[in-house]
Short mmCIF file of all heavy atoms in Angstrom, two decimals:
data_model
loop_
_atom_site.label_atom_id
_atom_site.label_comp_id
_atom_site.label_asym_id
_atom_site.label_seq_id
_atom_site.Cartn_x
_atom_site.Cartn_y
_atom_site.Cartn_z
N MET U 21 -67.90 186.17 11.34
CA MET U 21 -66.92 187.09 10.78
C MET U 21 -66.54 186.64 9.37
O MET U 21 -66.32 185.46 9.13
CB MET U 21 -65.67 187.11 11.67
CG MET U 21 -64.65 188.14 11.24
SD MET U 21 -63.22 188.17 12.36
CE MET U 21 -62.04 187.25 11.41
N THR U 22 -66.47 187.58 8.46
CA THR U 22 -66.08 187.28 7.09
C THR U 22 -64.58 187.54 6.92
O THR U 22 -64.09 188.59 7.31
CB THR U 22 -66.86 188.16 6.10
OG1 THR U 22 -68.25 187.92 6.29
CG2 THR U 22 -66.47 187.82 4.68
N ILE U 23 -63.90 186.57 6.36
CA ILE U 23 -62.47 186.74 6.10
C ILE U 23 -62.30 187.07 4.63
O ILE U 23 -62.73 186.31 3.76
CB ILE U 23 -61.68 185.46 6.44
CG1 ILE U 23 -61.84 185.16 7.93
CG2 ILE U 23 -60.22 185.62 6.05
CD1 ILE U 23 -61.19 183.87 8.37
N GLU U 24 -61.70 188.22 4.35
CA GLU U 24 -61.45 188.59 2.96
C GLU U 24 -60.27 187.80 2.44
O GLU U 24 -59.30 187.53 3.16
CB GLU U 24 -61.19 190.09 2.87
CG GLU U 24 -62.41 190.91 3.22
CD GLU U 24 -62.22 192.39 2.97
OE1 GLU U 24 -61.10 192.89 3.20
OE2 GLU U 24 -63.17 193.03 2.52
N ILE U 25 -60.34 187.44 1.19
CA ILE U 25 -59.29 186.63 0.59
C ILE U 25 -58.74 187.30 -0.67
O ILE U 25 -59.40 188.13 -1.29
CB ILE U 25 -59.80 185.21 0.23
CG1 ILE U 25 -60.94 185.28 -0.79
CG2 ILE U 25 -60.22 184.45 1.48
CD1 ILE U 25 -61.29 183.94 -1.42
N ILE U 26 -57.55 186.89 -0.99
CA ILE U 26 -56.99 187.22 -2.30
C ILE U 26 -56.72 185.90 -3.01
O ILE U 26 -56.56 184.85 -2.38
CB ILE U 26 -55.70 188.06 -2.22
CG1 ILE U 26 -54.62 187.33 -1.41
CG2 ILE U 26 -55.97 189.41 -1.59
CD1 ILE U 26 -53.37 187.09 -2.16
N VAL U 27 -56.72 185.96 -4.32
CA VAL U 27 -56.43 184.77 -5.11
C VAL U 27 -55.32 185.12 -6.09
O VAL U 27 -55.26 186.23 -6.60
CB VAL U 27 -57.71 184.27 -5.84
CG1 VAL U 27 -58.22 185.28 -6.84
CG2 VAL U 27 -57.47 182.95 -6.51
N ARG U 28 -54.41 184.18 -6.29
CA ARG U 28 -53.34 184.43 -7.24
C ARG U 28 -52.95 183.10 -7.91
O ARG U 28 -53.34 182.02 -7.45
CB ARG U 28 -52.12 185.08 -6.58
CG ARG U 28 -51.48 184.25 -5.50
CD ARG U 28 -50.31 185.00 -4.86
NE ARG U 28 -49.75 184.24 -3.76
CZ ARG U 28 -48.86 183.26 -3.89
NH1 ARG U 28 -48.43 182.91 -5.09
NH2 ARG U 28 -48.40 182.59 -2.84
N VAL U 29 -52.19 183.22 -8.97
CA VAL U 29 -51.75 182.04 -9.71
C VAL U 29 -50.24 181.90 -9.52
O VAL U 29 -49.50 182.88 -9.68
CB VAL U 29 -52.09 182.18 -11.21
CG1 VAL U 29 -51.56 180.97 -11.99
CG2 VAL U 29 -53.59 182.33 -11.39
N ASP U 30 -49.81 180.71 -9.18
CA ASP U 30 -48.38 180.43 -9.07
C ASP U 30 -47.85 180.16 -10.48
O ASP U 30 -48.16 179.13 -11.08
CB ASP U 30 -48.16 179.22 -8.18
CG ASP U 30 -46.68 178.93 -7.97
OD1 ASP U 30 -45.85 179.35 -8.79
OD2 ASP U 30 -46.36 178.23 -6.97
N PRO U 31 -47.08 181.08 -11.04
CA PRO U 31 -46.64 180.92 -12.44
C PRO U 31 -45.70 179.73 -12.64
O PRO U 31 -45.54 179.25 -13.75
CB PRO U 31 -45.93 182.25 -12.74
CG PRO U 31 -45.52 182.78 -11.41
CD PRO U 31 -46.56 182.30 -10.43
N ASP U 32 -45.09 179.26 -11.57
CA ASP U 32 -44.19 178.10 -11.68
C ASP U 32 -44.98 176.80 -11.82
O ASP U 32 -44.43 175.79 -12.27
CB ASP U 32 -43.27 178.02 -10.47
CG ASP U 32 -42.29 179.18 -10.42
OD1 ASP U 32 -41.92 179.68 -11.51
OD2 ASP U 32 -41.92 179.59 -9.31
N LYS U 33 -46.25 176.82 -11.41
CA LYS U 33 -47.07 175.60 -11.46
C LYS U 33 -48.05 175.60 -12.63
O LYS U 33 -48.41 174.54 -13.13
CB LYS U 33 -47.84 175.44 -10.15
CG LYS U 33 -46.97 175.10 -8.96
CD LYS U 33 -47.83 174.86 -7.73
CE LYS U 33 -47.00 174.41 -6.54
NZ LYS U 33 -47.84 174.21 -5.35
N CYS U 34 -48.52 176.78 -13.05
CA CYS U 34 -49.54 176.84 -14.09
C CYS U 34 -49.03 176.22 -15.39
O CYS U 34 -47.94 176.55 -15.86
CB CYS U 34 -49.95 178.29 -14.33
SG CYS U 34 -51.17 178.46 -15.66
N GLN U 35 -49.85 175.33 -15.96
CA GLN U 35 -49.52 174.69 -17.23
C GLN U 35 -50.52 175.03 -18.32
O GLN U 35 -50.53 174.40 -19.39
CB GLN U 35 -49.45 173.17 -17.04
CG GLN U 35 -48.34 172.71 -16.10
CD GLN U 35 -46.95 173.06 -16.64
OE1 GLN U 35 -46.67 172.82 -17.81
NE2 GLN U 35 -46.10 173.62 -15.80
N GLY U 36 -51.39 175.99 -18.06
CA GLY U 36 -52.29 176.48 -19.09
C GLY U 36 -53.52 175.62 -19.35
O GLY U 36 -54.04 175.61 -20.46
N HIS U 37 -54.02 174.95 -18.34
CA HIS U 37 -55.22 174.13 -18.53
C HIS U 37 -56.49 174.97 -18.73
O HIS U 37 -57.48 174.46 -19.25
CB HIS U 37 -55.42 173.18 -17.36
CG HIS U 37 -54.33 172.16 -17.24
ND1 HIS U 37 -54.24 171.07 -18.08
CD2 HIS U 37 -53.29 172.06 -16.39
CE1 HIS U 37 -53.19 170.34 -17.74
NE2 HIS U 37 -52.58 170.92 -16.72
N ALA U 38 -56.46 176.21 -18.29
CA ALA U 38 -57.54 177.18 -18.52
C ALA U 38 -58.86 176.85 -17.86
O ALA U 38 -59.88 177.45 -18.19
CB ALA U 38 -57.75 177.40 -20.03
N ARG U 39 -58.86 175.92 -16.94
CA ARG U 39 -60.12 175.65 -16.23
C ARG U 39 -60.50 176.84 -15.35
O ARG U 39 -61.68 177.13 -15.17
CB ARG U 39 -59.97 174.39 -15.38
CG ARG U 39 -59.78 173.13 -16.19
CD ARG U 39 -59.73 171.92 -15.32
NE ARG U 39 -59.35 170.73 -16.09
CZ ARG U 39 -59.15 169.55 -15.55
NH1 ARG U 39 -59.28 169.37 -14.25
NH2 ARG U 39 -58.81 168.53 -16.30
N CYS U 40 -59.51 177.50 -14.80
CA CYS U 40 -59.78 178.64 -13.90
C CYS U 40 -60.52 179.75 -14.65
O CYS U 40 -61.52 180.26 -14.15
CB CYS U 40 -58.48 179.15 -13.30
SG CYS U 40 -57.24 179.60 -14.54
N SER U 41 -60.04 180.10 -15.81
CA SER U 41 -60.67 181.20 -16.54
C SER U 41 -62.03 180.80 -17.08
O SER U 41 -62.90 181.64 -17.26
CB SER U 41 -59.76 181.69 -17.67
OG SER U 41 -59.47 180.65 -18.56
N ALA U 42 -62.22 179.51 -17.34
CA ALA U 42 -63.53 179.04 -17.79
C ALA U 42 -64.54 179.10 -16.64
O ALA U 42 -65.70 179.48 -16.84
CB ALA U 42 -63.44 177.62 -18.34
N LEU U 43 -64.09 178.73 -15.44
CA LEU U 43 -64.99 178.70 -14.29
C LEU U 43 -65.19 180.08 -13.66
O LEU U 43 -66.25 180.37 -13.12
CB LEU U 43 -64.45 177.74 -13.22
CG LEU U 43 -64.52 176.26 -13.57
CD1 LEU U 43 -63.67 175.45 -12.61
CD2 LEU U 43 -65.97 175.77 -13.54
N ALA U 44 -64.16 180.89 -13.70
CA ALA U 44 -64.23 182.20 -13.02
C ALA U 44 -63.52 183.26 -13.86
O ALA U 44 -62.45 183.75 -13.50
CB ALA U 44 -63.59 182.08 -11.63
N PRO U 45 -64.12 183.63 -14.98
CA PRO U 45 -63.48 184.63 -15.85
C PRO U 45 -63.33 185.99 -15.18
O PRO U 45 -62.49 186.79 -15.60
CB PRO U 45 -64.42 184.70 -17.06
CG PRO U 45 -65.73 184.19 -16.56
CD PRO U 45 -65.41 183.17 -15.52
N GLU U 46 -64.10 186.22 -14.12
CA GLU U 46 -63.96 187.49 -13.40
C GLU U 46 -62.65 187.54 -12.60
O GLU U 46 -62.17 188.61 -12.25
CB GLU U 46 -65.13 187.69 -12.42
CG GLU U 46 -66.51 187.57 -13.07
CD GLU U 46 -67.08 186.16 -12.98
OE1 GLU U 46 -66.30 185.19 -12.90
OE2 GLU U 46 -68.31 186.03 -13.02
N LEU U 47 -62.12 186.36 -12.31
CA LEU U 47 -60.95 186.29 -11.42
C LEU U 47 -59.66 185.94 -12.13
O LEU U 47 -58.57 186.21 -11.61
CB LEU U 47 -61.20 185.23 -10.32
CG LEU U 47 -62.38 185.51 -9.38
CD1 LEU U 47 -62.59 184.33 -8.44
CD2 LEU U 47 -62.12 186.78 -8.59
N PHE U 48 -59.77 185.29 -13.30
CA PHE U 48 -58.56 184.82 -13.99
C PHE U 48 -58.61 185.20 -15.47
O PHE U 48 -59.65 185.10 -16.10
CB PHE U 48 -58.44 183.29 -13.87
CG PHE U 48 -58.44 182.80 -12.46
CD1 PHE U 48 -59.60 182.34 -11.87
CD2 PHE U 48 -57.28 182.82 -11.70
CE1 PHE U 48 -59.62 181.91 -10.55
CE2 PHE U 48 -57.27 182.39 -10.38
CZ PHE U 48 -58.44 181.93 -9.81
N GLU U 49 -57.46 185.58 -15.97
CA GLU U 49 -57.34 185.84 -17.39
C GLU U 49 -56.11 185.09 -17.90
O GLU U 49 -55.19 184.79 -17.12
CB GLU U 49 -57.23 187.34 -17.66
CG GLU U 49 -56.10 188.02 -16.92
CD GLU U 49 -56.21 189.54 -16.97
OE1 GLU U 49 -57.29 190.06 -17.26
OE2 GLU U 49 -55.18 190.18 -16.70
N LEU U 50 -56.12 184.81 -19.17
CA LEU U 50 -55.01 184.07 -19.77
C LEU U 50 -54.12 185.02 -20.55
O LEU U 50 -54.59 185.93 -21.22
CB LEU U 50 -55.55 182.98 -20.71
CG LEU U 50 -56.50 181.95 -20.09
CD1 LEU U 50 -56.93 180.95 -21.15
CD2 LEU U 50 -55.86 181.24 -18.89
N ASP U 51 -52.82 184.77 -20.47
CA ASP U 51 -51.91 185.59 -21.26
C ASP U 51 -51.82 185.04 -22.68
O ASP U 51 -52.53 184.09 -23.05
CB ASP U 51 -50.54 185.70 -20.58
CG ASP U 51 -49.77 184.38 -20.55
OD1 ASP U 51 -50.15 183.43 -21.27
OD2 ASP U 51 -48.78 184.30 -19.79
N GLU U 52 -50.97 185.63 -23.50
CA GLU U 52 -50.89 185.25 -24.91
C GLU U 52 -50.41 183.82 -25.13
O GLU U 52 -50.57 183.26 -26.21
CB GLU U 52 -50.01 186.23 -25.68
CG GLU U 52 -48.57 186.29 -25.24
CD GLU U 52 -48.31 187.34 -24.16
OE1 GLU U 52 -49.20 187.55 -23.29
OE2 GLU U 52 -47.22 187.92 -24.16
N PHE U 53 -49.86 183.22 -24.08
CA PHE U 53 -49.40 181.83 -24.19
C PHE U 53 -50.38 180.85 -23.55
O PHE U 53 -50.13 179.64 -23.52
CB PHE U 53 -48.02 181.69 -23.54
CG PHE U 53 -46.99 182.60 -24.14
CD1 PHE U 53 -46.55 183.72 -23.45
CD2 PHE U 53 -46.48 182.36 -25.41
CE1 PHE U 53 -45.61 184.58 -24.01
CE2 PHE U 53 -45.55 183.21 -25.98
CZ PHE U 53 -45.11 184.33 -25.28
N GLY U 54 -51.47 181.37 -22.99
CA GLY U 54 -52.48 180.52 -22.39
C GLY U 54 -52.28 180.25 -20.92
O GLY U 54 -53.00 179.44 -20.34
N TYR U 55 -51.34 180.94 -20.32
CA TYR U 55 -51.14 180.77 -18.88
C TYR U 55 -51.99 181.79 -18.13
O TYR U 55 -52.20 182.91 -18.59
CB TYR U 55 -49.66 180.95 -18.52
CG TYR U 55 -48.76 179.90 -19.12
CD1 TYR U 55 -47.96 180.20 -20.21
CD2 TYR U 55 -48.75 178.61 -18.61
CE1 TYR U 55 -47.14 179.23 -20.78
CE2 TYR U 55 -47.94 177.63 -19.17
CZ TYR U 55 -47.14 177.95 -20.26
OH TYR U 55 -46.35 176.98 -20.82
N ALA U 56 -52.44 181.38 -16.95
CA ALA U 56 -53.35 182.22 -16.20
C ALA U 56 -52.62 183.22 -15.31
O ALA U 56 -51.49 182.99 -14.89
CB ALA U 56 -54.26 181.35 -15.33
N ARG U 57 -53.31 184.31 -15.09
CA ARG U 57 -52.90 185.26 -14.06
C ARG U 57 -54.17 185.81 -13.44
O ARG U 57 -55.24 185.79 -14.06
CB ARG U 57 -52.05 186.38 -14.66
CG ARG U 57 -52.77 187.15 -15.74
CD ARG U 57 -51.83 188.08 -16.47
NE ARG U 57 -52.48 188.65 -17.65
CZ ARG U 57 -51.84 189.01 -18.76
NH1 ARG U 57 -50.54 188.87 -18.84
NH2 ARG U 57 -52.50 189.50 -19.78
N GLN U 58 -54.03 186.31 -12.23
CA GLN U 58 -55.20 186.83 -11.56
C GLN U 58 -55.64 188.12 -12.22
O GLN U 58 -54.82 188.93 -12.65
CB GLN U 58 -54.95 187.04 -10.06
CG GLN U 58 -53.81 187.97 -9.73
CD GLN U 58 -52.46 187.27 -9.64
OE1 GLN U 58 -52.27 186.17 -10.15
NE2 GLN U 58 -51.53 187.92 -8.98
N ALA U 59 -56.94 188.30 -12.32
CA ALA U 59 -57.49 189.47 -12.99
C ALA U 59 -57.69 190.63 -12.01
O ALA U 59 -57.88 191.76 -12.44
CB ALA U 59 -58.82 189.12 -13.65
N LEU U 60 -57.64 190.33 -10.72
CA LEU U 60 -57.86 191.36 -9.71
C LEU U 60 -56.60 191.59 -8.91
O LEU U 60 -55.87 190.65 -8.60
CB LEU U 60 -58.97 190.92 -8.73
CG LEU U 60 -60.36 190.69 -9.26
CD1 LEU U 60 -61.26 190.18 -8.14
CD2 LEU U 60 -60.93 191.96 -9.86
N ASN U 61 -56.37 192.82 -8.54
CA ASN U 61 -55.28 193.14 -7.62
C ASN U 61 -55.85 193.58 -6.28
O ASN U 61 -55.24 194.38 -5.58
CB ASN U 61 -54.38 194.23 -8.20
CG ASN U 61 -53.52 193.70 -9.33
OD1 ASN U 61 -53.00 192.60 -9.25
ND2 ASN U 61 -53.40 194.48 -10.39
N SER U 62 -57.01 193.06 -5.97
CA SER U 62 -57.65 193.44 -4.72
C SER U 62 -58.34 192.20 -4.15
O SER U 62 -58.27 191.11 -4.73
CB SER U 62 -58.67 194.55 -4.98
OG SER U 62 -59.61 194.12 -5.94
N CYS U 63 -58.99 192.37 -3.03
CA CYS U 63 -59.70 191.26 -2.40
C CYS U 63 -60.77 190.72 -3.35
O CYS U 63 -61.36 191.47 -4.14
CB CYS U 63 -60.39 191.73 -1.12
SG CYS U 63 -59.24 192.25 0.14
N VAL U 64 -61.02 189.44 -3.22
CA VAL U 64 -62.07 188.82 -4.02
C VAL U 64 -63.42 189.29 -3.49
O VAL U 64 -63.70 189.17 -2.30
CB VAL U 64 -61.97 187.28 -3.92
CG1 VAL U 64 -63.13 186.62 -4.65
CG2 VAL U 64 -60.63 186.80 -4.46
N PRO U 65 -64.26 189.86 -4.35
CA PRO U 65 -65.60 190.27 -3.90
C PRO U 65 -66.35 189.07 -3.34
O PRO U 65 -66.19 187.94 -3.82
CB PRO U 65 -66.26 190.79 -5.18
CG PRO U 65 -65.13 191.14 -6.10
CD PRO U 65 -64.03 190.16 -5.77
N SER U 66 -67.16 189.32 -2.34
CA SER U 66 -67.83 188.23 -1.62
C SER U 66 -68.64 187.34 -2.57
O SER U 66 -68.69 186.12 -2.38
CB SER U 66 -68.72 188.78 -0.51
OG SER U 66 -69.67 189.69 -1.05
N GLU U 67 -69.22 187.92 -3.61
CA GLU U 67 -70.04 187.13 -4.52
C GLU U 67 -69.20 186.21 -5.41
O GLU U 67 -69.74 185.33 -6.09
CB GLU U 67 -70.94 188.02 -5.37
CG GLU U 67 -70.22 188.92 -6.36
CD GLU U 67 -69.81 190.27 -5.78
OE1 GLU U 67 -69.74 190.40 -4.54
OE2 GLU U 67 -69.55 191.19 -6.58
N LEU U 68 -67.87 186.39 -5.40
CA LEU U 68 -67.00 185.55 -6.23
C LEU U 68 -66.15 184.58 -5.42
O LEU U 68 -65.35 183.83 -5.98
CB LEU U 68 -66.09 186.43 -7.09
CG LEU U 68 -66.78 187.33 -8.11
CD1 LEU U 68 -65.75 188.20 -8.84
CD2 LEU U 68 -67.58 186.51 -9.12
N VAL U 69 -66.32 184.59 -4.12
CA VAL U 69 -65.49 183.73 -3.26
C VAL U 69 -65.70 182.25 -3.61
O VAL U 69 -64.74 181.48 -3.73
CB VAL U 69 -65.79 184.01 -1.78
CG1 VAL U 69 -65.19 182.92 -0.90
CG2 VAL U 69 -65.23 185.38 -1.39
N ASP U 70 -66.95 181.84 -3.79
CA ASP U 70 -67.21 180.43 -4.13
C ASP U 70 -66.53 180.05 -5.44
O ASP U 70 -66.00 178.94 -5.58
CB ASP U 70 -68.71 180.17 -4.23
CG ASP U 70 -69.39 180.15 -2.88
OD1 ASP U 70 -68.67 180.13 -1.86
OD2 ASP U 70 -70.63 180.17 -2.84
N LYS U 71 -66.54 180.98 -6.39
CA LYS U 71 -65.88 180.71 -7.68
C LYS U 71 -64.37 180.56 -7.51
O LYS U 71 -63.73 179.77 -8.20
CB LYS U 71 -66.19 181.82 -8.68
CG LYS U 71 -67.54 181.72 -9.34
CD LYS U 71 -67.63 182.72 -10.49
CE LYS U 71 -68.86 182.46 -11.34
NZ LYS U 71 -68.86 183.34 -12.53
N ALA U 72 -63.81 181.34 -6.63
CA ALA U 72 -62.36 181.24 -6.39
C ALA U 72 -62.01 179.85 -5.86
O ALA U 72 -61.05 179.22 -6.33
CB ALA U 72 -61.93 182.32 -5.40
N TYR U 73 -62.78 179.37 -4.91
CA TYR U 73 -62.51 178.03 -4.37
C TYR U 73 -62.79 176.95 -5.40
O TYR U 73 -62.08 175.94 -5.45
CB TYR U 73 -63.33 177.81 -3.09
CG TYR U 73 -62.74 178.53 -1.90
CD1 TYR U 73 -63.28 179.72 -1.43
CD2 TYR U 73 -61.61 178.02 -1.24
CE1 TYR U 73 -62.73 180.39 -0.35
CE2 TYR U 73 -61.05 178.68 -0.15
CZ TYR U 73 -61.61 179.87 0.29
OH TYR U 73 -61.06 180.53 1.35
N MET U 74 -63.80 177.14 -6.22
CA MET U 74 -64.09 176.16 -7.26
C MET U 74 -62.95 176.09 -8.27
O MET U 74 -62.54 175.01 -8.70
CB MET U 74 -65.40 176.53 -7.98
CG MET U 74 -65.87 175.48 -8.97
SD MET U 74 -67.32 175.99 -9.93
CE MET U 74 -68.38 176.64 -8.65
N ALA U 75 -62.44 177.24 -8.64
CA ALA U 75 -61.31 177.27 -9.58
C ALA U 75 -60.10 176.58 -8.98
O ALA U 75 -59.42 175.79 -9.66
CB ALA U 75 -60.98 178.72 -9.95
N ARG U 76 -59.83 176.85 -7.72
CA ARG U 76 -58.67 176.20 -7.08
C ARG U 76 -58.86 174.68 -7.07
O ARG U 76 -57.92 173.93 -7.35
CB ARG U 76 -58.49 176.72 -5.65
CG ARG U 76 -57.24 176.14 -4.99
CD ARG U 76 -57.02 176.65 -3.60
NE ARG U 76 -58.02 176.15 -2.66
CZ ARG U 76 -57.96 176.35 -1.35
NH1 ARG U 76 -56.97 177.05 -0.82
NH2 ARG U 76 -58.92 175.87 -0.56
N ALA U 77 -60.06 174.23 -6.76
CA ALA U 77 -60.31 172.79 -6.69
C ALA U 77 -60.19 172.12 -8.05
O ALA U 77 -59.92 170.92 -8.13
CB ALA U 77 -61.71 172.54 -6.10
N ASN U 78 -60.39 172.89 -9.12
CA ASN U 78 -60.39 172.30 -10.46
C ASN U 78 -59.09 172.50 -11.22
O ASN U 78 -58.98 172.06 -12.37
CB ASN U 78 -61.55 172.87 -11.28
CG ASN U 78 -62.86 172.20 -10.91
OD1 ASN U 78 -63.17 171.12 -11.41
ND2 ASN U 78 -63.61 172.80 -10.01
N CYS U 79 -58.12 173.14 -10.62
CA CYS U 79 -56.82 173.30 -11.29
C CYS U 79 -56.00 172.02 -11.07
O CYS U 79 -55.63 171.71 -9.94
CB CYS U 79 -56.07 174.50 -10.75
SG CYS U 79 -54.40 174.60 -11.46
N PRO U 80 -55.70 171.30 -12.12
CA PRO U 80 -54.98 170.03 -11.95
C PRO U 80 -53.54 170.21 -11.50
O PRO U 80 -52.91 169.25 -11.05
CB PRO U 80 -55.06 169.38 -13.33
CG PRO U 80 -55.40 170.46 -14.27
CD PRO U 80 -56.10 171.53 -13.50
N GLU U 81 -53.03 171.41 -11.61
CA GLU U 81 -51.63 171.66 -11.21
C GLU U 81 -51.54 172.28 -9.81
O GLU U 81 -50.44 172.59 -9.35
CB GLU U 81 -50.96 172.60 -12.22
CG GLU U 81 -51.03 172.13 -13.66
CD GLU U 81 -50.32 170.83 -13.91
OE1 GLU U 81 -49.40 170.49 -13.14
OE2 GLU U 81 -50.70 170.12 -14.88
N GLU U 82 -52.67 172.48 -9.17
CA GLU U 82 -52.71 173.13 -7.85
C GLU U 82 -51.95 174.46 -7.89
O GLU U 82 -51.18 174.79 -6.98
CB GLU U 82 -52.15 172.20 -6.76
CG GLU U 82 -52.97 170.93 -6.64
CD GLU U 82 -52.50 170.01 -5.52
OE1 GLU U 82 -51.45 170.28 -4.90
OE2 GLU U 82 -53.20 169.03 -5.25
N ALA U 83 -52.19 175.21 -8.96
CA ALA U 83 -51.47 176.46 -9.17
C ALA U 83 -52.18 177.67 -8.59
O ALA U 83 -51.62 178.76 -8.57
CB ALA U 83 -51.26 176.67 -10.68
N ILE U 84 -53.40 177.48 -8.13
CA ILE U 84 -54.17 178.61 -7.62
C ILE U 84 -54.04 178.67 -6.10
O ILE U 84 -54.27 177.69 -5.40
CB ILE U 84 -55.64 178.49 -8.04
CG1 ILE U 84 -55.71 178.61 -9.57
CG2 ILE U 84 -56.49 179.57 -7.37
CD1 ILE U 84 -57.06 178.34 -10.16
N VAL U 85 -53.65 179.83 -5.64
CA VAL U 85 -53.40 180.05 -4.22
C VAL U 85 -54.44 181.03 -3.68
O VAL U 85 -54.67 182.08 -4.29
CB VAL U 85 -51.99 180.63 -4.00
CG1 VAL U 85 -51.74 180.90 -2.52
CG2 VAL U 85 -50.93 179.70 -4.59
N ILE U 86 -55.06 180.66 -2.59
CA ILE U 86 -56.01 181.54 -1.91
C ILE U 86 -55.45 181.81 -0.52
O ILE U 86 -55.08 180.88 0.20
CB ILE U 86 -57.40 180.89 -1.82
CG1 ILE U 86 -57.99 180.75 -3.23
CG2 ILE U 86 -58.32 181.71 -0.93
CD1 ILE U 86 -59.31 180.00 -3.29
N GLU U 87 -55.40 183.09 -0.18
CA GLU U 87 -54.84 183.48 1.11
C GLU U 87 -55.73 184.54 1.75
O GLU U 87 -56.40 185.29 1.04
CB GLU U 87 -53.45 184.11 0.92
CG GLU U 87 -52.44 183.16 0.32
CD GLU U 87 -51.13 183.86 0.01
OE1 GLU U 87 -51.16 185.02 -0.47
OE2 GLU U 87 -50.08 183.24 0.25
N PRO U 88 -55.68 184.62 3.07
CA PRO U 88 -56.37 185.76 3.70
C PRO U 88 -55.77 187.06 3.21
O PRO U 88 -54.55 187.16 3.00
CB PRO U 88 -56.08 185.55 5.19
CG PRO U 88 -55.71 184.12 5.32
CD PRO U 88 -55.06 183.73 4.03
N ALA U 89 -56.59 188.05 3.00
CA ALA U 89 -56.12 189.31 2.43
C ALA U 89 -55.05 189.96 3.29
O ALA U 89 -54.12 190.56 2.78
CB ALA U 89 -57.28 190.26 2.24
N SER U 90 -55.14 189.81 4.60
CA SER U 90 -54.18 190.47 5.47
C SER U 90 -52.76 189.97 5.25
O SER U 90 -51.81 190.71 5.43
CB SER U 90 -54.57 190.28 6.94
OG SER U 90 -54.60 188.89 7.24
N ARG U 91 -52.61 188.70 4.84
CA ARG U 91 -51.27 188.16 4.60
C ARG U 91 -50.64 188.76 3.35
O ARG U 91 -49.44 188.71 3.19
CB ARG U 91 -51.32 186.64 4.45
CG ARG U 91 -51.62 185.94 5.76
CD ARG U 91 -51.61 184.44 5.58
NE ARG U 91 -50.36 183.97 5.02
CZ ARG U 91 -50.19 182.74 4.54
NH1 ARG U 91 -51.20 181.90 4.53
NH2 ARG U 91 -49.04 182.36 4.04
N ALA U 92 -51.46 189.31 2.49
CA ALA U 92 -50.95 189.88 1.25
C ALA U 92 -50.53 191.33 1.43
O ALA U 92 -49.86 191.89 0.59
CB ALA U 92 -52.00 189.80 0.16
N ASP U 93 -50.92 191.92 2.55
CA ASP U 93 -50.55 193.31 2.76
C ASP U 93 -49.06 193.43 3.04
O ASP U 93 -48.49 192.60 3.72
CB ASP U 93 -51.34 193.87 3.96
CG ASP U 93 -52.83 193.97 3.67
OD1 ASP U 93 -53.20 193.96 2.47
OD2 ASP U 93 -53.60 194.01 4.62
N PRO U 94 -48.44 194.48 2.54
CA PRO U 94 -47.00 194.65 2.78
C PRO U 94 -46.69 194.98 4.22
O PRO U 94 -47.51 195.44 4.95
CB PRO U 94 -46.61 195.82 1.86
CG PRO U 94 -47.87 196.47 1.43
CD PRO U 94 -48.99 195.51 1.68
FE1 F3S N 10 -53.14 177.35 -15.02
FE2 F3S N 10 -54.55 175.81 -13.46
FE3 F3S N 10 -55.69 177.80 -14.66
S1 F3S N 10 -52.93 175.15 -14.81
S2 F3S N 10 -54.56 178.05 -16.59
S3 F3S N 10 -54.10 177.96 -13.12
S4 F3S N 10 -56.56 175.80 -14.37
#
C-alpha cells in the first residue's frame, strides 16, 4: 500500500539554509528573505517522495515536516 504524504516547512524553525530548495526545487521555494515554503498545496507526487525525505534529512534546523496526507485533511 502506498501512503500519500504532504510536506511543509515549519516557519518557526526555518533559518534559510536553502538546502531544501537546492535538493528539491519542485517541492520548496524561497521567499524574498530566503526562507523556505512548500511549493505544493497537494500530495507529494510519488516520483518526488524520495526528494522530500532527502530534503528533510538535510535540513539542519529540522524544519521540514512530512505527514500522511490524510492528517492534513480538514
Ligand atoms: Fe529552511 Fe531548512 Fe530549507 S532551514 S530553507 S527548511 S534547508
Side-chain angles (χ1 to χ4, degrees):
M21 186 178 101
T22 301
I23 298 176
E24 294 187 323
I25 61 167
I26 58 122
V27 63
R28 61 182 176 82
V29 177
D30 183 338
D32 293 330
K33 291 184 176 179
C34 178
Q35 295 297 314
H37 295 285
R39 294 184 188 176
C40 55
S41 58
L43 289 167
E46 306 93 334
L47 297 174
F48 303 97
E49 56 192 18
L50 303 180
D51 68 14
E52 63 269 36
F53 303 106
Y55 296 104
R57 58 190 171 209
Q58 58 272 19
L60 298 176
N61 287 319
S62 57
C63 295
V64 175
S66 57
E67 67 272 20
L68 297 177
V69 167
D70 287 349
K71 281 191 169 186
Y73 283 102
M74 187 186 313
R76 184 179 70 173
N78 281 278
C79 175
E81 306 297 336
E82 299 183 353
I84 295 172
V85 179
I86 294 175
E87 298 174 320
S90 59
R91 289 182 56 193
D93 293 340

